[in-house]
Amino acid sequence: MHVTWSPEDLAFRDEVRDFLDAELSPEMRRAARLMTSVYAPHDLGMAWQAILHARGWAAPAWPVEYGGCGWSAAQRYIFASEMAAAGAPPLSPMGIGMCGPVLIGHGTTEQKAYYLPRMLTGEHHWCQGYSEPGSGSDLASLQMAAVDDGDHFVCTGHKLWTTHANVANWIFCLVRTSQERIPQQGITFLLIDMATPGIEVGPILMLSGEHIQNDVFFTDVRVPKANVVGKVGEGWTVAKYLMEFERGGGVSTPGLKARLARVRDMAAREGVLSDLGPRLAALAIEIDALAAVELQILANLSQGDAPGAKSSMMKTVGTELSQRLTELALEAAGDYGAAYQPHATRPGGPTPNYRPPVDQGHVGPDHSLTVAAKYLNDRAGSIYAGTNEIQRNIIAKAVLGL
């Protein structure tokens, strides 16, 4: 795919490059390059968010009146492309990328005024309370109870696989405020302060040795009714709106292109480019095709439209391309990649804010430090945000009319 940018777009690209050259330190670039998850380590992500916020670039997709950039679709794509090419760390999506758009679309004036500025500064760091034991892709079966008690709901239940709950100070939750014949009814979208008494967070250590996901237990947690987004009992509508942004409201193909370039470079350094070349070329074509769709989605978003069913397609194709990239990276790294073994514990047991000591005991080249951990971590890509099987069902119904 060849895209011709206007002179104004090229000037904007140069502005972004100058900014990245000045503000993105070599230490930040290397830390981002060694990420083994789609999420940056908390301290790295927050430091980079502070830099972007100071420039006014923390929330490119938000309307200007709430602190957004007012950029065109082309500018958003250029910005994401330059960030990916420079190796900038991603910002946590749960606040700015997910809860923020929901508040802009469904929140009260008071909620927008209070929460949105604190998302931008990083004072509030968010996590997502959706999945429960037995309620993952079948999210409408969730059972975390929110009992009416005057001006509050009293919440009791268990959320699972909650990314960054160990470092977040706010969580947006789907809770059940009533039992109805149709499970999607009686669900409410609720904002909860993680410092509220009755909340307990437990770590879930991953195959890659990291602590990113968590159990979150709620026991008689009192939440003001003012924290309901939308209407009580109609949270499923709010949740579906949010999931469109979670699955396809961001800009993902520039990151795939940057990763493809790094895998190609790794294969060349290891002398296996001729072996992997055809598969890398096939991936490049598929990423370009996905980028064309993404540009269409961005154009629609700039006109105020939600991503719709295309978000399911972006999520499905994007995560499967990502998994194929990790497989090729593992092949390109060869024995050096396979030799990497992260440690799941430190002396005394698991550490809540633990990150794998990627530099300890590694004898291979720098580019192979984390390929095995990335491969293991990315197996979850086709499961989180709704399994790809579920996404194909959504596409079949919403697009094909089946």
Side-chain angles (χ1 to χ4, degrees), residues 260 263-264 267-268 271-285 328 331-332:
L260 177 69
V263 174
R264 185 182 287 115
V272 294
L273 184 57
S274 60
D275 296 330
L276 300 184
R279 282 186 284 167
L280 289 168
L283 269 176
I285 293 169
L328 286 173
E331 287 190 49

Side-chain angles (χ1 to χ4, degrees), residues 205-225:
L205 292 179
M206 304 178 66
L207 279 174
S208 58
E210 297 163 282
H211 174 198
I212 299 172
Q213 276 78 42
N214 301 269
D215 287 294
V216 186
F217 301 94
F218 300 81
T219 304
D220 297 331
V221 176
R222 297 183 62 82
V223 183
K225 287 183 178 177

Side-chain angles (χ1 to χ4, degrees), residues 59-224:
W62 287 15
V64 173
E65 59 265 34
Y66 298 115
C69 299
W71 289 342
S72 67
Q75 287 175 310
R76 283 189 60 196
Y77 193 82
I78 289 169
F79 180 71
S81 297
E82 295 303 320
M83 291 272 283
L91 303 189
S92 175
M94 271 75 76
I96 290 175
M98 292 159 59
C99 191
V102 161
L103 290 175
I104 291 169
H106 292 269
T108 65
T109 300
E110 293 77 14
Q111 287 171 341
K112 294 173 187 177
Y114 180 74
Y115 293 109
L116 294 179
R118 290 166 174 81
M119 284 183 190
L120 291 176
T121 63
E123 178 184 345
H124 287 177
H125 187 67
W126 289 80
C127 59
Q128 178 187 35
Y130 273 23
S131 294
E132 299 178 4
S135 297
S137 293
D138 181 20
L139 189 58
S141 65
L142 66 90
Q143 294 299 315
M144 177 171 163
V147 178
D148 193 325
D149 187 26
D151 292 333
H152 290 74
F153 284 112
V154 179
C155 300
T156 300
H158 176 191
K159 294 297 182 180
L160 185 65
W161 310 119
T162 309
T163 299
H164 284 173
N166 54 311
V167 292
N169 50 16
W170 280 85
I171 182 171
F172 55 91
C173 277
L174 291 182
V175 298
R176 186 160 296 283
T177 45
S178 65
Q179 294 288 343
E180 307 291 343
R181 183 176 60 85
I182 299 174
Q184 286 82 358
Q185 297 175 356
I187 292 173
T188 298
F189 194 103
L190 196 59
L191 311 177
I192 304 177
D193 186 341
M194 292 288 284
T196 309
I199 297 177
E200 180 183 356
V201 178
I204 299 175
L205 292 179
M206 304 178 66
L207 279 174
S208 58
E210 297 163 282
H211 174 198
I212 299 172
Q213 276 78 42
N214 301 269
D215 287 294
V216 186
F217 301 94
F218 300 81
T219 304
D220 297 331
V221 176
R222 297 183 62 82
V223 183

